[in-house]
Amino acid sequence: MVAEDGQPAPALDLPTDDGAQVSLAALNGPAVIFFYPKADTPACTSEAKDFTALAEDFAKLGVALIGVSKDAPKKLARFRAKHELGVILASDETGGVCEAWGVWGEKQLYGRTYMGIERATFLIDAQGRVRQSWRKVKTAGHAQSVLDAARAL
């Protein structure tokens, strides 16, 4: 199953940086799931900080913010502390969730081809459906665009 607009969101049940577990099914409300390639890299840091800056606005709408990467929980904990992040950071070390959501695939950088996470964001409504998706995300202004879409839920 791949995450597609209008369809039920694939399962998401992952360990978090603080030793807890986050499950889309257990949230019982809308959520933003943003997939990013690697913690503590420039674009990923910028994106996480942008969502953190708007976290209160998302919370007022009852929307949970969950960032997912293949980084280990301990690395995510360091990432959170270093940048004072205010979003849930989930670890998909095996890559199963990334594959299920359709964000794991071939990428290119400086002429080199490799497998990695496509930067993508999904807005999930209270019924567990993908309301809107953003693929191959450019981070500048992205968090605000997602917030604007969340206001329409």
Side-chain angles (χ1 to χ4, degrees):
M1 177 180 212
V2 173
E4 294 182 15
D5 292 3
Q7 297 300 312
L12 186 144
D13 189 358
L14 295 169
T16 61
D17 65 297
D18 61 1
Q21 197 79 8
V22 64
S23 166
L24 193 56
L27 289 177
N28 204 22
V32 168
I33 313 299
F34 65 98
F35 290 87
Y36 59 96
K38 191 169 184 175
D40 216 12
T41 56
C44 297
T45 300
S46 174
E47 182 178 27
K49 288 171 84 172
D50 289 349
F51 275 115
T52 293
L54 298 173
E56 190 173 305
D57 295 314
F58 280 101
K60 286 177 185 172
L61 298 172
V63 178
L65 292 171
I66 304 167
V68 179
S69 73
K70 287 186 69 174
D71 297 302
K74 286 183 181 180
K75 182 173 183 179
L76 295 176
R78 289 190 302 272
F79 181 44
R80 171 187 300 288
K82 180 177 179 181
H83 299 288
E84 299 177 352
L85 301 176
V87 298
I88 297 167
L89 298 176
S91 172
D92 183 25
E93 287 185 280
T94 66
V97 170
C98 290
E99 285 189 35
W101 284 71
V103 299
W104 180 254
E106 200 172 88
K107 298 174 73 172
Q108 288 193 342
L109 183 65
Y110 303 120
R112 186 177 70 103
T113 301
Y114 63 98
M115 296 299 288
I117 295 175
E118 170 195 351
R119 187 180 312 282
T121 302
F122 301 90
L123 176 60
I124 311 303
D125 66 21
Q127 290 72 44
R129 292 194 171 281
V130 177
R131 180 60 75 90
Q132 188 170 346
S133 59
W134 294 261
R135 299 288 190 150
K136 299 187 180 182
V137 167
K138 303 293 183 214
T139 59
H142 176 63
Q144 183 62 55
S145 295
V146 177
L147 177 61
D148 293 344
R151 286 186 172 125
L153 282 180

